[in-house]
Amino acid sequence: MFAFVIATALLTTAPATVAERSHPTPQQVSLAPEPVLSSVAVTLECTAYKDGRVGACQVLGETHPGLGFGTAAVALMQGERLEPSARDVQFARTIQFMP
């Protein structure tokens, strides 16, 4: 009998209309826009050794620090080779990351 009373009470209760629901409307939701990176530049200083190997690269500057592009630029220079020369030479290179 108790179950019948509960079932009757549940069936006679009107369902919530769309206006009564507590879901936010698109006007109520404010999302911060995702930053769009149109390009990223990292400037490195590296050493070109006499035998043509490139190494000892370090980041001099980057347009968006803290996002890992500096580490990626250093990794890109690993294993690079230049024309052998009479002495070790330091050089700077700017690497552009484009979308």
Side-chain angles (χ1 to χ4, degrees):
M1 180 70 162
F2 180 72
F4 178 72
V5 172
I6 295 294
T8 304
L10 288 175
L11 290 175
T12 58
T13 305
T17 63
V18 174
E20 295 172 338
R21 292 184 185 148
S22 63
H23 299 294
T25 63
Q27 293 81 15
Q28 293 172 327
V29 176
S30 64
L31 298 176
E34 291 286 325
V36 176
L37 301 178
S38 58
S39 74
V40 176
V42 177
T43 302
L44 300 176
E45 180 181 66
C46 300
T47 301
Y49 297 107
K50 291 187 280 187
D51 63 359
R53 291 179 299 114
V54 174
C57 293
Q58 55 187 328
V59 177
L60 293 179
E62 51 187 309
T63 57
H64 295 82
L67 297 179
F69 289 102
T71 303
V74 170
L76 285 171
M77 292 303 292
Q78 296 296 329
E80 286 295 312
R81 297 194 62 82
L82 299 174
E83 195 69 33
S85 65
R87 61 185 176 90
D88 293 349
V89 177
Q90 284 190 317
F91 67 95
R93 169 167 286 168
T94 299
I95 297 176
Q96 293 263 321
F97 293 89
M98 304 296 282

